[in-house]
Every structure is written in C-alpha cells, then in structure tokens.
Amino acid sequence: MTTATTRHSDRRISPVFLGIVAVTAVTGWATWTGFAEEPGIAVFLFVTGAWIVSLCLHEYAHARTALHSGDITIGAKGYLTLNPLKYTHALLSIVLPVIFVIMGGIGLPGGAVFIERDRIRGRWRHSLISAAGPLTNVLFALACTAPFWLHSLDGVPREFSAALAFLALLQVSAAILNFLPVPGLDGYGVIEPWLSHGVKRQIEPFAPFGLLFVFALLWVPQVNAVFFDLVDAVLRGLGVSEIDASYGWSLYRFWS
C-alpha cells in the first residue's frame, strides 16, 4: 500500500531551503574572505540565513521523529522537505524568531509542525518527538563552537569568528528556552506524557499563553540578566568569550 510518506516528492529537499542555504554559504564566504565592503551586511545575511536553516532543521527533527514513531501523515504535509513555507505557523516559526534576533539577540523557539499525536503509542516516543527539536539546536551550537574549543581559528578574520559566536549564542538561548517545562515549549512536551490526566487538564487553559509569559519575564531586567548569564556561562564552557559574541551582535546590527 502506498502512503503519503513513501512518495519521493514528499521527501525532496525544497528549492526554498536550498536557496536559504546558498545565501548563507555565499555570505559566510564573503565574511570569511573579507570580500564584502560592508562586513555588517554580510554578517547579518550570514547569521540570519544560518538561523533560518537551524529553524528548518529544528522542525524537521520533530517531523522525522514523529514519522518514525507512527505519524505517517507527516510526509503529505510537506514537513520532510525542509520548506519553511510548509509549516503550520510560518509567522511563529520563521518571522517572529528573526524579529526577536534583530530586536534582542534572543533565539526564539517556535512551534510549527502539526503532529497527529493519537497515531503515536508510548510515552517515551512522545517525549522524544518533543526533545528532537531543541536537541538539534544543541548540535548546531556544538558545530558553531567547535572551531573555538578546537582552537582552530588562528588566522580567521575576527568578523567571521564573531558571527559564529553570535550564531552560537542564538542556538544556546533557543535550546535553553525550548527545554523550559512551560506549556507551549518543547520542554513541556517532554514531560507532558508523564503527567496525570488531572494535572494536564488544570494546565491546559494556560497553554496558549506559556510562550508569551516566558518572554514577558525576559523583559524584566533581573530575569533577563540571569538568563543571559546562563547563556554566557554555557558559551564560555564551549570556548566562546562574551566579547566575541557581543562583537558579533554589534556587527549583526550594522544599521545601529
């Protein structure tokens, strides 16, 4: 029997995603070589492109894990093509995260893929589906910071290393936020299958406001300071200095 997930077109990588990867690669090369006359513009395009790529991979990880856990409708929805335009909430998953990066240098998590949870059996599978997205951010952060903790940046233009540092900051902040056990975030999705029915019913009315609550808290200076202290501590552990990340942030906001 042929299902939606067996069609090759459901798994073909989208030209939209390939275009974003191409922009990221070209602007990364321009930053690396110093080819760009305005390094800030190149850094902006490079980091934004890489950030969108990571968002696509985040959602792909959710979808692919759900597919192997029993939701065979994933392919027909276009989630395996890495096309951000196929997401259920493109605004929440792409546009708002980019705006938050521009405004505050925060890696905003977003929910995008609709998973038919009733097709999936087993609490561990449900938890793994939720964890797959932020774990992708963790892997992306490790990839961005590898040149730092491997001490392989000698001779590399500072603009490029600073761009990598800022991109790593976004990945670390996204992973931390996503793993918070707050309704609407992946961290809650990890623990939700293990909660009693009564507890889930009590939490359910507040679920749509969980993400708004988190970001409202981040506007509180004391909370914001604690959050970024944690992000900086993780980055330092991965060999990235606060100076590099801050310089990358200032290059990114080339217009200011």
Side-chain angles (χ1 to χ4, degrees), residues 126-165:
H126 284 281
S127 294
L128 184 58
I129 290 168
S130 295
L135 286 175
T136 303
N137 293 111
V138 171
L139 292 176
F140 213 105
L142 291 174
C144 291
T145 58
F148 293 90
W149 46 266
L150 290 174
H151 306 290
S152 57
L153 288 171
D154 291 342
V156 174
R158 192 180 175 212
E159 288 78 11
F160 184 80
S161 61
L164 273 185

Side-chain angles (χ1 to χ4, degrees), residues 161-202:
S161 61
L164 273 185
F166 179 55
L167 183 57
L169 181 149
L170 297 179
Q171 299 301 326
V172 170
S173 63
I176 292 173
L177 288 174
N178 260 301
F179 272 125
L180 291 176
V182 175
L185 298 177
D186 290 326
Y188 179 74
V190 172
I191 66 170
E192 184 184 25
W194 307 89
L195 300 177
S196 68
H197 182 67
V199 171
K200 285 190 282 190
R201 287 196 62 181
Q202 289 180 336

Side-chain angles (χ1 to χ4, degrees), residues 80-105:
L80 302 179
T81 65
L82 291 164
N83 184 353
L85 301 180
K86 293 291 186 179
Y87 296 152
T88 307
H89 300 293
L91 175 66
L92 289 177
S93 300
I94 301 297
V95 179
L96 280 182
V98 171
I99 290 175
F100 266 81
V101 170
I102 294 172
M103 290 177 57

